[in-house]
Amino acid sequence: GVADRIEIRIGPAADTLRELPQRELFDFAFIDADKTGYPDYYEQVLARTRPGGLIMVDNVLAAGRVLADGEDFDDFTRDSIGAIRRVNELITGDERVETVMLGVADGVMLARKR
């Protein structure tokens, strides 16, 4: 009964988000895409989230690798973990949201827009 309210868009997430109107559209957003894009996805989604809306970011603990020194990481993993660290710092320091991190599986960050 909701098919008329669902629009499927296929393409790079950052491009897709930028194509959306610059107004508050979302009550809920779930970010689980290429990790290097997380900081950009967060900013794009937050700008389009209504006050009181919830943003959920997946894999924010990355099986504990966000706490590792990264010496044994390949370049892809190092870049991904670095982006996850940046988005964690961005969200937890962001006064536009209230946050909580859940240590479930690879970690989930919840950010409620003020």
Side-chain angles (χ1 to χ4, degrees):
V2 296
D4 62 318
R5 292 178 266 168
I6 297 172
E7 181 180 335
I8 297 174
R9 295 179 182 221
I10 299 173
D15 295 343
T16 302
L17 285 166
R18 284 188 187 91
E19 290 170 3
L20 294 173
Q22 287 283 333
R23 59 182 170 82
E24 296 170 340
L25 302 167
F26 306 141
D27 292 312
F28 176 79
F30 181 65
I31 299 173
D32 184 19
D34 62 291
K35 307 315 176 221
T36 56
Y38 269 27
D40 185 35
Y41 304 151
Y42 170 74
E43 287 295 345
Q44 293 293 325
V45 165
L46 182 64
R48 292 165 174 84
T49 300
R50 292 180 180 98
L54 186 65
I55 300 169
M56 184 179 207
V57 184
D58 201 18
N59 306 114
V60 294
L61 295 177
R65 291 179 290 182
V66 294
L67 301 174
D69 62 18
E71 288 182 19
D72 60 342
F73 293 166
D74 59 34
D75 288 342
F76 175 79
T77 303
R78 189 173 297 109
D79 291 346
S80 296
I81 297 302
I84 293 170
R85 287 176 180 152
R86 282 191 303 281
V87 81
N88 287 344
E89 291 172 7
L90 176 65
I91 295 171
T92 57
D94 192 341
E95 293 185 9
R96 299 171 294 178
V97 296
E98 297 172 311
T99 63
V100 64
M101 184 184 290
L102 306 175
V104 177
D106 274 349
V108 177
M109 178 84 73
L110 301 175
R112 183 174 119 0
K113 186 171 182 179
R114 297 180 193 268

